[in-house]
Amino acid sequence: MNTITSIEDLKKLTEKQKKENSKYNKIVTLCAGTGCCASGCLSVLSSLRNELKHKKLTKKIKIRTTGCHGFCEQGPLMVIEPENVFYCHLKPEDIPEIISKTLLNDKIIERLLYADPASGKKIIHEKDIPFYKAQDRAVLGQNKLVDPCSINDYIANGGYSALIKILTSMKPDEVIKEIKKSGLRGRGGGGFPTGRKWEFCRGASGKPKYVICNADEGDPGAYMDRSVLEGNPHAIIEGMLIGAYAIGAEHGYIYVRNEYPLAVEH
Ligand code: FES
């Protein structure tokens, strides 16, 4: 584990991680969120791990297990990078063919592609699937780039750079001003402006102050908090640290449901 004490340290670590990832010919991003676990992704994962090990390919092909990609009904699913090939409804038996054809020879396996329900047309690339094309995935888009159990993966994708920036170049009031200017709002339904909330907290008397991340999401069938907690936990911690700096808090708590074991683990 590296200790980061300056922005230069973080930049060096970011570059090192990017270099690490560039050593691989392919990165197989396999969704291991709760939805895909329910449809059997863990047996697909173990088959992939075993086959790559057996074929001595672990130095050439990297497996990244991630949180939810947002398309759970198509799970288990994977995206093969750098080509952005999307395979869905995977079974462990598909793995040897995926390795021999797609990972080693860049050949597409037609039957594993997503079929557009409107036209019946098979789509090769994730970015061309209408479900993704119509979205700007500002919060959950990073899920597929990050292994939630790897802080280095988060850092390789620019993680913790916002925290370092504010700690090294901004006063708490400037952070609040910036957040107000951004128009950021709560996502729980009320849409309360975050900058105003932080301003009230900073101005409130009494010590110590606390940051509470309320990830309870009591609304039935709402899983947006779970998806972030499972898929990109460091983004939550970074956001809490920035909020703590802005309001002058020294402690933070995350309230996460016991019914979300993967979120708790991550
Ligand atoms: S859990 Fe895999 S796409 Fe949602």
Side-chain angles (χ1 to χ4, degrees), residues 34 215-216 226 229-230 254-265:
T34 293
D216 177 52
R226 193 194 71 195
L229 289 161
E230 283 181 3
I254 298 174
Y255 172 31
V256 52
R257 289 173 160 239
N258 197 37
E259 296 93 325
Y260 293 176
L262 200 56
V264 172
E265 191 187 320

Side-chain angles (χ1 to χ4, degrees), residues 47-48 84 87 104 120-121 203 211 219 235 246 253 259:
S47 169
L48 182 59
N84 195 238
Y87 286 149
L104 294 177
K121 211 180 121 208
V211 175
D219 6 3
Y253 287 94
E259 296 93 325

Side-chain angles (χ1 to χ4, degrees), residues 45-96:
L45 175 63
S46 97
S47 169
L48 182 59
R49 276 190 181 137
N50 290 341
E51 284 293 314
L52 290 182
K53 203 169 153 197
H54 179 67
K55 295 190 159 60
K56 300 195 177 17
L57 289 168
T58 49
K59 288 206 168 78
K60 289 188 176 155
I61 297 164
K62 176 179 169 138
I63 307 170
R64 177 184 290 133
T65 51
T66 71
C68 179
H69 292 208
F71 213 4
C72 315
E73 63 172 64
Q74 296 297 317
L77 55 86
M78 67 166 59
V79 184
I80 298 168
E81 303 287 6
E83 293 82 4
N84 195 238
V85 171
F86 180 89
Y87 286 149
C88 52
H89 296 307
L90 297 167
K91 294 188 191 64
E93 315 75 274
D94 297 323
I95 293 301

Side-chain angles (χ1 to χ4, degrees), residues 208-230:
K209 288 180 182 171
Y210 297 87
V211 175
I212 313 288
C213 165
N214 176 10
D216 177 52
E217 63 186 353
D219 6 3
Y223 297 124
M224 65 282 183
D225 292 354
R226 193 194 71 195
S227 294
V228 187
L229 289 161
E230 283 181 3

